[in-house]
Amino acid sequence: MEYITPDLCDAYPDSVRVLEPMVHNYGGRDSFGGEIVTIKCFEDNSLVKEAAGTDGVGKVMVVDGGASLRRALLGDMIAENAAKNGWEGLIIYGCIRDVDAIAALDLGVQALGAIPLKTDKRGIGDLNVPVTFGGVTFNPGEYVYADNNGVVVSATALKMPE
């Protein structure tokens, strides 16, 4: 399914919250959307790896990495696992690595930037808690839609206008 965020904003102006422009598209999918699953972590992608191994059909992982630009919360192996398990995409308030490999995957990935350093795995983080960044709160069970224009969040699932 292709999502066009400007069309969603026009059709549902009172129902969407728009993320401040801060993330860039790195994945093989230019547009993606689905039910929000959140992870809050800092320079530790243990929960990202764990969640990528679960069924992600119809879901988008929103990772609040505290805007760290020092470590990558997503690399090619975790991204490949997420794609294999049907995740629609990931939105990461932090960095990724292996950008060329991730660009070749059928997976949406948006992040602040890229850095080659991986994280430590300490098992620290929170799953499915509300996370706030870029002027938007992402609540588990709500919906997020992303394309090259930006990211919009809605309390309910949205349909693309005709």
Side-chain angles (χ1 to χ4, degrees):
M1 172 71 152
E2 182 179 13
Y3 298 100
I4 303 167
T5 59
D7 291 353
L8 291 172
C9 288
D10 292 350
Y12 305 99
D14 298 326
S15 301
V16 296
R17 306 183 307 269
V18 180
L19 184 70
E20 294 168 0
M22 60 175 47
V23 291
H24 306 283
N25 214 340
Y26 291 98
R29 285 187 191 174
D30 284 339
S31 88
F32 60 97
E35 184 179 347
I36 297 171
V37 173
T38 65
I39 292 175
K40 186 174 181 71
C41 58
F42 187 76
E43 297 182 1
D44 179 348
N45 68 350
S46 303
L47 286 181
V48 177
K49 180 179 181 182
E50 186 178 314
T54 65
D55 179 15
V57 174
K59 298 176 185 171
V60 174
M61 196 183 310
V62 177
V63 182
D64 179 353
S68 172
L69 302 178
R70 301 186 308 192
R71 301 285 178 162
L73 294 173
L74 180 71
D76 58 348
M77 293 189 301
I78 294 173
E80 285 173 15
N81 201 23
K84 183 183 77 163
N85 286 303
W87 284 89
E88 302 298 324
L90 295 91
I91 298 169
I92 299 179
Y93 188 49
C95 287
I96 68 165
R97 67 188 206 159
D98 303 313
V99 295
D100 296 329
I102 289 172
L105 296 174
D106 183 21
L107 182 70
V109 176
Q110 293 201 6
L112 293 178
I115 191 167
L117 288 172
K118 68 180 182 177
T119 70
D120 293 326
K121 302 248 188 328
R122 299 181 311 272
I124 299 170
D126 296 303
L127 178 66
N128 279 330
V129 297
V131 298
T132 302
F133 57 88
V136 171
T137 297
F138 297 85
N139 295 301
E142 291 189 338
Y143 293 83
V144 63
Y145 305 93
D147 66 5
N148 287 322
N149 297 291
V151 176
V152 299
V153 178
S154 173
T156 59
L158 303 178
K159 293 193 184 324
M160 280 299 301
E162 298 288 320

